[in-house]
Amino acid sequence: MRVHRPLSVVVLLLLFTASSLWAQDVSLEEAKDEYLFADYDRAIELFSEIAHSSAYDSETRIEAFRYLGRSYIAKDKQAEAREAMAELIRLEPPIVELDADDEPPPLIRLYYDARREVQDDYSVEQASPGLQTLAIMDFSNNSVDQRERFEGLTKGLPSMMINYINSGVDLKVIERERIQWLLNELELQRQEGVVDQSTAVRTGELLGATAVVFGSYIILNDQMRITARVVDVETGEVLLGEEVTGEAESFFTLIEELSQNVTRAVNVEMEETQLGTEETNSLDAMMAYSEGLERMERGDYRGAFEKFIEATDHDSGFARAERKAESLRPMLALSGDIRSSEASSSTMN
């Protein structure tokens, strides 16, 4: 028997079908092009359409929310960017993690804020329950010689350790940006540039880490000595007190050795690994990158951008520095200065 639908129902079905087809006509690549050419108003319009439409798969919508947040940051719309992060998290499961190397610093902080609100605590989300989690704090600079030159390594050394360990073990290492966010959020650090054991353990406890690493380095007569402690967060037991010494110009080797010893201290055997393909073996490139991290955390985004570009000038294969420079694009747009950003890679993440 033939069923006759009321005209109003037919019209609604046609409108729904048409709207779904129209929505799918909005291309993620088209929206990314608008973002690339700094037409952030248009980018917001397109990314918002994709992100909020069930006509797209979850992976596409997640990508749209990431770029929507970046676009809002470029327009100094903090509240809207934060809501985009909250909506992104509401798409879970599976867990959505943002990479601090790809996102503008204000957006990554808003992501941490939204994550904390959803979870009602500061612990790092775990895609694999039971996986050990390691927090590596910034190192203190106790140098006598060339103290100013090597100051940036307070952030550069832990960044390199994170890369080595992530490349060689089944162990979750917390990004240092999240650690710094927590220190600032709760004002845990008693003295700028110095991390003591109680601060390290409390930070690790709040983040849900299994163990925490903190330490210092000294440059004297072109020699570098790096000292580190690994502490069990639950018991406060010192699992490792380690010191490595060598030529300052060859500190990459020292970091590799130290990383191996740290993983053994938490009963994880590190596979033989090389410095990640996104990293550098150039001292000059690493020094420029480390100074870029310092400037970025001070809010000097133009200065940080220039240092990341300088790092890639020293080593054209230093992909992490290139990604960091690209992540600052919205901040340069916000300040009305995006000229030099055109010199960076146009590869979108």
Side-chain angles (χ1 to χ4, degrees):
M1 183 176 67
R2 186 174 182 180
V3 177
H4 295 279
R5 298 180 186 276
L7 182 59
S8 59
V9 173
V10 174
V11 170
L12 288 173
L13 286 172
L14 288 173
L15 288 174
F16 175 79
T17 302
S19 64
S20 296
L21 291 173
W22 178 83
Q24 290 181 328
D25 283 341
V26 178
S27 163
L28 186 62
E29 293 308 312
E30 176 189 352
K32 287 183 179 181
D33 284 343
E34 300 296 344
Y35 176 88
L36 176 63
F37 290 105
D39 187 350
Y40 295 113
D41 289 322
R42 178 62 175 157
I44 287 171
E45 180 183 342
L46 296 180
F47 286 128
S48 183
E49 179 62 40
I50 296 169
H52 294 100
S53 173
S54 59
Y56 296 87
D57 60 63
S58 60
E59 185 176 336
T60 300
R61 294 179 66 194
I62 287 169
E63 188 77 346
F65 270 122
R66 288 177 56 226
Y67 275 93
L68 182 60
R70 295 177 186 179
S71 301
Y72 277 134
I73 288 295
K75 298 293 293 183
D76 198 23
K77 295 184 176 182
Q78 297 281 323
E80 291 86 345
R82 191 181 192 285
E83 179 56 28
M85 294 300 94
E87 291 183 277
L88 173 70
I89 292 170
R90 285 197 286 269
L91 288 177
E92 296 175 345
I95 289 172
V96 178
E97 292 187 271
L98 295 192
D99 192 327
D101 287 333
D102 294 328
E103 309 301 337
L107 183 64
I108 204 72
R109 290 193 291 268
L110 291 174
Y111 166 78
Y112 296 148
D113 285 343
R115 175 68 67 185
R116 176 203 57 203
E117 186 172 300
V118 168
Q119 297 179 178
D120 197 29
D121 64 27
Y122 292 93
S123 62
V124 174
E125 59 284 355
Q126 281 281 22
S128 303
L131 190 67
Q132 290 198 77
T133 304
L134 187 66
I136 302 177
M137 311 291 289
D138 283 355
F139 279 53
S140 302
N141 180 9
N142 295 333
S143 299
V144 176
D145 293 345
Q146 306 181 67
R147 179 183 177 86
E148 188 172 329
R149 181 191 176 200
F150 286 92
E151 179 64 28
L153 290 183
T154 59
K155 305 180 190 310
L157 291 181
S159 178
M160 289 184 65
M161 285 187 68
I162 289 170
N163 170 66
Y164 269 119
I165 295 173
N166 274 334
S167 299
V169 299
D170 188 18
L171 180 71
K172 184 175 181 62
V173 187
I174 301 171
E175 62 271 25
R176 55 169 306 280
E177 289 82 358
R178 191 173 208 153
I179 294 172
Q180 192 59 51
W181 165 78
L182 180 64
L183 291 174
N184 294 339
E185 177 83 1
L186 300 181
E187 298 181 350
L188 294 176
Q189 198 162 349
R190 299 173 184 175
Q191 181 180 349
E192 186 177 357
V194 177
V195 177
D196 58 25
Q197 183 166 327
S198 62
T199 298
V201 170
R202 178 57 176 157
T203 301
E205 182 182 44
L206 289 168
L207 292 170
T210 308
V212 62
V213 180
F214 65 102
S216 62
Y217 61 95
I218 295 175
I219 309 293
L220 179 62
N221 297 326
D222 294 324
Q223 292 287 304
M224 171 179 276
R225 183 171 75 244
I226 307 175
T227 303
R229 283 188 179 182
V230 182
V231 179
D232 184 292
V233 170
E234 183 177 2
T235 65
E237 177 189 358
V238 177
L239 303 176
L240 176 72
E242 181 71 7
E243 180 179 293
V244 292
T245 304
E247 295 286 337
E249 298 289 329
S250 303
F251 70 86
F252 300 95
T253 303
L254 301 180
I255 288 297
E256 183 175 9
E257 180 183 348
L258 185 60
S259 299
Q260 292 273 2
N261 293 336
V262 164
T263 58
R264 293 191 186 103
V266 293
N267 297 318
V268 175
E269 189 61 33
M270 187 171 179
E271 299 173 5
E272 288 298 323
T273 183
Q274 299 296 319
L275 193 64
T277 56
E278 290 198 335
E279 304 301 324
T280 183
N281 279 310
S282 163
L283 176 61
D284 289 335
M286 193 62 208
M287 297 302 291
Y289 176 79
S290 298
E291 190 172 342
L293 293 178
E294 286 275 3
R295 295 188 181 192
M296 188 175 70
E297 293 190 4
R298 293 200 308 265
D300 177 11
Y301 299 120
R302 162 53 53 192
F305 177 85
E306 291 173 350
K307 281 297 175 180
F308 294 140
I309 292 299
E310 180 184 329
T312 63
D313 288 341
H314 288 300
D315 180 357
S316 60
F318 194 178
R320 185 179 296 275
E322 187 174 338
R323 288 169 62 196
K324 280 291 191 184
E326 181 65 25
S327 76
L328 296 178
R329 178 186 292 273
M331 309 316 300
L332 302 181
L334 185 58
S335 66
D337 185 4
I338 60 173
R339 293 185 300 276
S340 293
S341 66
E342 299 305 321
S344 68
S345 170
S346 61
T347 301
M348 305 303 291
N349 299 295

